[in-house]
């Protein structure tokens, strides 16, 4: 197996903990767009001799039909990498480098070594920063909730007791709020009696939005419903929430993330969610089953 490493100071409980980084534990998400675009420049052109993106996709386990579908993309390498990291926990920087080496494309690894090195360093530095407590005194700390175990962040939280829990976190943009209201009526105020986490309704003001969102998605909500629309595609908040939820369940093994479409779209469906089963409200022939299917999915243990 091809060896590739970068040296760091020791940090506890991290993929970068050892002086020599184990790249098999560094997720593919660590590679930024610059590296991904350069990989496309090497692999997108069809070669008669050197292995191209098709060989890479086959080595990653994609089927013949899946590979044929990627042919219509302007950047099939980018699509393959994106779908690979979404469908399996094995999608790591180390695994990618090993596959390229096995395909006899060490030329790519050598040419991009310094860029990959830098991305891994930045990723590990970010992990280190997240692991360290903020250097702020409690009186002026506005980012981390002051209450123990991050309780006291929602309207019905009991700061002295068990944090409020939810069946699902609703990921939406403001222009889709009318549909969120309908979702509340159909899922909370009926016999389903589900408990939804709607940020504008349930979260108390005054805390760091990224910290609270991560806490709610990872620890307080069993599922996440993503309301997909053209406006959703332009929302930085929705993008963060979706990618964070996907990082918690690669390959959707826990059925944690449920995409919902409630109106016609003019933009392409987000590729990062293509492998998930969709709950589609726009199809008249299945509209009668929409709320039952969604409620059943959210009721699973």
């Amino acid at each position: 197996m091809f060896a590739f490493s970068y040296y760091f100071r020791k940090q506890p409980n991290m993929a970068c903990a050892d002086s020599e980084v184990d790249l098999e534990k560094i997720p593919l998400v660590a590679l930024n767009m610059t590296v991904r675009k350069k990989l496309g420049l090497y692999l997108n052109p069809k070669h008669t001799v050197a292995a191209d993106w098709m060989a890479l996709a086959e080595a990653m386990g994609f089927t013949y039909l899946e590979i044929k579908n990627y042919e219509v993309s302007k950047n099939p390498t980018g699509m393959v990498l994106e779908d690979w990291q979404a469908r399996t926990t094995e999608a790591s920087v180390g695994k990618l480098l090993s596959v390229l080496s096995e395909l006899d494309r060490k030329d790519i690894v050598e040419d991009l070594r310094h860029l990959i090195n830098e991305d891994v360093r930045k990723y590990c530095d970010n992990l280190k920063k997240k692991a360290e407590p903020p250097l702020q005194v409690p009186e002026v700390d506005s980012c981390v909730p002051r209450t123990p175990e991050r309780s006291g962040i929602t309207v019905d939280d009991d700061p002295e007791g068990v944090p409020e829990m939810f069946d699902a976190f609703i990921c939406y943009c403001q222009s889709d709020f009318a549909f969120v209201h309908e979702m509340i009526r159909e899922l909370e105020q009926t016999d389903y009696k589900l408990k939804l986490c709607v940020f504008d309704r349930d979260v108390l003001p005054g805390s760091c939005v990224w910290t609270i969102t991560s806490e709610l998605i990872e620890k307080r909500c069993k599922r996440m419903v993503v309301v997909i629309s053209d406006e959703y595609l332009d929302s930085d908040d929705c993008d963060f929430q979706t990618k964070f939820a996907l990082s918690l369940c690669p390959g959707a093994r826990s059925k944690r993330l449920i995409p919902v479409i409630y109106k016609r779209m003019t933009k392409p469906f987000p590729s990062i969610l293509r492998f998930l089963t969709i709950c589609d409200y726009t199809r008249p022939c299945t509209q009668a089953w929409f709320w039952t299917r969604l409620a059943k999915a959210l009721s699973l243990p």
Side-chain angles (χ1 to χ4, degrees):
M1 184 173 290
F2 187 73
F4 185 80
S5 61
Y6 194 94
Y7 293 89
F8 295 86
R9 292 178 299 167
K10 291 186 177 181
Q11 298 296 334
N13 301 319
M14 292 168 55
C16 312
D18 299 323
S19 58
E20 185 174 327
V21 176
D22 183 359
L23 292 184
E24 294 292 335
K25 296 181 180 179
I26 302 295
L28 199 66
V29 71
L31 298 183
N32 66 24
M33 289 306 299
T34 299
V35 170
R36 293 169 186 255
K37 287 180 180 178
K38 288 186 179 293
L39 283 169
L41 293 177
Y42 282 101
L43 295 168
N44 286 341
K46 289 187 176 181
H47 292 285
T48 56
V49 179
D52 58 12
W53 70 269
M54 290 186 178
L56 179 70
E58 186 175 359
M60 289 174 170
F62 288 91
T63 65
Y64 171 79
L65 289 178
E66 288 174 321
I67 294 173
K68 293 296 290 184
N69 286 333
Y70 290 131
E71 286 184 333
V72 300
S73 172
K74 293 181 179 178
N75 181 17
T77 301
M79 298 291 291
V80 167
L81 293 176
E82 193 171 276
D83 285 355
W84 187 48
Q85 74 182 34
R87 71 195 289 176
T88 176
T89 55
E90 294 182 0
S92 66
V93 175
K95 182 63 175 177
L96 173 62
L97 297 175
S98 295
V99 172
L100 289 172
S101 178
E102 291 164 3
L103 294 174
D104 202 22
R105 292 309 306 264
K106 294 180 183 179
D107 57 314
I108 299 177
V109 177
E110 291 300 326
D111 288 349
L112 300 184
R113 178 186 291 271
H114 68 289
L115 292 174
I116 296 174
N117 227 3
E118 182 63 15
D119 283 353
V120 171
R121 183 191 66 77
K122 290 179 180 177
Y123 176 82
C124 288
D125 284 349
N126 285 335
L127 284 184
K128 176 187 172 184
K129 290 177 182 177
K130 291 178 180 178
E132 293 175 348
L135 299 177
Q136 298 177 332
V137 295
E139 287 75 12
V140 297
D141 186 356
S142 61
C143 185
V144 178
R146 299 184 180 93
T147 49
E149 302 299 327
R150 293 182 182 172
S151 59
I153 63 176
T154 60
V155 173
D156 291 333
D157 255 352
D158 178 4
E160 304 300 327
V162 179
E164 185 178 14
M165 306 300 288
F166 300 89
D167 291 301
F169 181 93
I170 310 301
C171 172
Y172 62 94
C173 59
Q174 292 300 314
S175 60
D176 298 323
F177 203 55
F179 180 73
V180 175
H181 275 285
E182 185 175 357
M183 191 178 296
I184 291 171
R185 289 194 299 270
E186 294 290 340
L187 299 177
E188 286 191 337
Q189 300 170 7
T190 59
D191 291 339
Y192 297 126
K193 294 185 177 359
L194 292 167
K195 190 170 185 178
L196 309 179
C197 181
V198 179
F199 201 93
D200 291 290
R201 178 192 69 175
D202 297 312
V203 177
L204 295 174
S207 297
C208 175
V209 62
W210 307 117
T211 302
I212 300 306
T213 301
S214 301
E215 165 79 7
L216 290 168
I217 294 173
E218 181 177 10
K219 298 179 180 178
R220 304 286 199 91
C221 301
K222 293 192 298 182
R223 304 280 188 276
M224 186 169 95
V225 176
V226 185
V227 181
I228 308 293
S229 65
D230 288 338
E231 294 78 12
Y232 159 91
L233 297 173
D234 298 323
S235 169
D236 291 336
D237 288 351
C238 291
D239 183 64
F240 167 79
Q241 293 166 11
T242 302
K243 289 180 177 176
F244 181 78
L246 279 174
S247 72
L248 300 174
C249 58
R253 286 187 299 274
S254 64
K255 299 183 178 66
R256 187 184 185 102
L257 198 148
I258 303 170
V260 167
I261 299 178
Y262 79 98
K263 63 181 179 182
R264 297 291 181 185
M265 296 178 61
T266 59
K267 298 179 180 179
F269 188 82
S271 60
I272 198 172
L273 299 177
R274 287 184 308 170
F275 67 98
L276 293 173
T277 305
I278 302 168
C279 213
D280 193 346
Y281 194 64
T282 65
R283 298 174 59 196
C285 59
T286 62
Q287 221 171 61
W289 307 319
F290 177 86
W291 295 113
T292 301
R293 292 178 65 227
L294 182 57
K296 181 67 175 179
L298 296 181
S299 300
L300 294 173

